[in-house]
Amino acid sequence: MEYRSLGRTGVMVSELCLGCMNFGGVTPEAESFDIVDRAIDAGVNFFDTANVYSRGGSETTVGKALKRNGKRDRIVLATKVHGRMEDDDILAVGNNRRHIIQQCDASLMRLGTDYIDLYQLHRANPEIPIDETLRALDDLIRAGKVRYIGTSTFPSWRVMESFWVSKELGLNRFVSEQPPYHLLDRSIERELIPLAQSYGLAIIPWSPLARGFLTGKYKRGEAIPGDSRFGNDAGRGAAMERRRDQHFTDLGFDLLDLVTELAGEKSCSPSQIALAWVMSKRGVTSPIIGPRTMAHLEDNLGAINVTLDAEDHARLDALAEPELATVPYYHGRLVNFRASDYGWL
């Protein structure tokens, strides 16, 4: 396992980040504990969760796991705030000061820790002035509850605006951004990656496997397995079905065929090729893996041993052109989302 600086902070994090969204939900508690222990043994020291994942269930499970193995101090622990936490409480959502401070305290309790290493805004909140949000986050840092702050799925201009406001008001600035990034959506290469390299911003990609499409489990013309991510999406409304259909295109399957072909040449899995591609891209700090089972984790960990050369990149670029968004993850509710759209409630 290699380690990279979390932006300009100097905090060294593993080249893979363990995403904990499935903990407290589809992954049983005992298996979640085993996944955490195995990831740490493999050298992963960077964990990411969010308060909305299973409405606090993920944070609770992560907290229990780290208390059980006694390795909290060896982990860079990240969580997120923004999504609705109570169906009948209009105050329990957003990037306003009240919600951020309230939810930080709740996350600390669930995680069983005195501090959060990286506290991130899960999405932008255009209705709330960014100075309101940054002042609240700055106060949390000064109170010792949070070490660093970051964002997730913020457009480049919003990140840049936040830098300007932080400088003008003398506030702590964001050190990281979590964007969607994979072979089907390379749009962050246009502006976000150059911005990150210029201003020392860590890039922590989510969904590097395109919601599991690039794992190779789906076949052209075959029925979608009912227990898969896209299979489960089918019953959750038109938005989810549209998202599924955006992946299952001729170009999408052409890319998957090439990824599978490269996997055969390198004696690895398609998901390892897709992960190795993200890890190798300029500006990327640590892509987030989201294993549901121990087998998923073992497969994901194998990506650190896969190397893509210039010819491999050229073959992939021929189909997944640089800066191309075959599936635009920044479109619509993927920017202004409701947690219920993702089945997190």
Side-chain angles (χ1 to χ4, degrees):
M1 187 71 64
E2 294 183 358
Y3 299 86
R4 302 167 179 177
S5 177
L6 183 67
R8 63 178 190 171
T9 70
V11 175
M12 303 304 291
V13 295
S14 49
E15 59 186 322
L16 286 175
C17 175
L18 180 65
C20 305
M21 187 178 74
N22 291 314
F23 299 169
V26 296
T27 303
E29 184 175 84
E31 187 167 15
S32 298
F33 292 168
D34 290 342
I35 289 173
V36 166
D37 291 343
R38 174 68 183 103
I40 293 174
D41 288 344
V44 176
N45 75 338
F46 192 14
F47 290 9
D48 178 75
T49 183
N51 61 347
V52 292
Y53 296 160
S54 299
R55 279 272 174 90
S58 174
E59 289 182 328
T60 298
T61 302
V62 171
K64 288 181 179 179
L66 294 178
K67 181 178 181 180
R68 178 172 169 267
N69 61 31
K71 296 180 179 178
R72 165 64 184 99
D73 289 341
R74 295 176 54 184
I75 300 302
V76 177
L77 185 56
T79 191
K80 299 185 283 292
V81 63
H82 170 82
R84 183 175 295 281
M85 292 298 288
E86 300 288 344
D87 289 334
D88 58 352
D89 185 356
I90 62 172
L91 299 176
V93 66
N95 297 348
N96 61 77
R97 180 183 187 84
R98 185 184 190 278
H99 185 241
I100 288 172
I101 293 176
Q102 178 190 61
Q103 289 304 315
C104 180
D105 288 340
S107 290
L108 287 168
M109 184 173 297
R110 286 189 291 263
L111 291 166
T113 185
D114 295 328
Y115 65 97
I116 295 166
D117 291 287
L118 178 61
Y119 200 42
Q120 304 155 108
L121 300 177
H122 211 156
R123 291 295 186 273
N125 195 169
E127 296 82 8
I128 306 297
I130 190 63
D131 59 295
E132 156 92 358
T133 302
L134 284 168
R135 286 185 190 278
L137 294 170
D138 187 75
D139 284 347
L140 290 174
I141 292 176
R142 294 176 188 276
K145 296 180 179 181
V146 170
R147 297 290 189 261
Y148 301 101
I149 54 176
T151 59
S152 176
T153 321
F154 268 47
S156 300
W157 73 266
R158 288 197 182 278
V159 175
M160 198 66 233
E161 177 194 34
S162 77
F163 287 170
W164 177 81
V165 172
S166 289
K167 182 178 180 180
E168 286 292 301
L169 301 180
L171 304 173
N172 279 280
R173 52 158 276 189
F174 295 127
V175 304
S176 64
E177 157 62 15
Q178 273 193 29
Y181 187 42
H182 47 73
L183 282 163
L184 298 177
D185 188 348
R186 301 181 60 173
S187 56
I188 68 168
E189 296 171 356
R190 300 171 194 161
E191 295 181 353
L192 185 62
I193 291 292
L195 182 156
Q197 292 185 301
S198 295
Y199 290 91
L201 188 74
I203 296 295
I204 312 165
W206 59 264
S207 199
L209 300 179
R211 293 171 59 84
F213 181 79
L214 295 173
T215 62
K217 70 172 69 174
Y218 304 106
K219 307 298 180 184
R220 195 191 304 260
E222 293 186 5
I224 301 173
D227 61 348
S228 73
R229 189 83 177 272
F230 288 105
N232 289 334
D233 283 350
R236 295 216 300 268
M240 282 298 189
E241 292 184 16
R242 182 173 62 253
R243 195 166 300 134
R244 179 196 62 201
D245 293 343
Q246 287 177 324
H247 291 75
F248 287 64
T249 63
D250 287 339
L251 180 54
F253 278 110
D254 287 345
L255 274 168
L256 181 56
D257 288 343
L258 177 54
V259 167
T260 302
E261 181 180 334
L262 285 169
E265 294 172 6
K266 296 180 182 294
S267 300
C268 65
S269 69
S271 57
Q272 289 170 351
I273 292 292
L275 279 172
W277 180 85
V278 176
M279 284 191 290
S280 70
K281 301 305 289 183
R282 67 189 181 101
V284 169
T285 303
S286 182
I288 301 170
I289 56 175
R292 178 171 54 84
T293 66
M294 182 64 77
H296 291 164
L297 175 65
E298 294 292 354
D299 178 74
N300 292 167
L301 290 173
I304 67 175
N305 299 315
V306 175
T307 301
L308 299 178
D309 59 26
E311 182 181 351
D312 298 328
H313 279 283
R315 290 166 66 185
L316 289 166
D317 286 348
L319 284 177
E321 299 176 17
E323 303 183 7
L324 181 71
T326 306
V327 182
Y329 269 50
Y330 278 94
H331 180 67
R333 287 185 181 173
L334 284 171
V335 175
N336 295 309
F337 82 112
R338 296 178 304 179
S340 58
D341 293 336
Y342 288 75
W344 293 342
L345 303 186

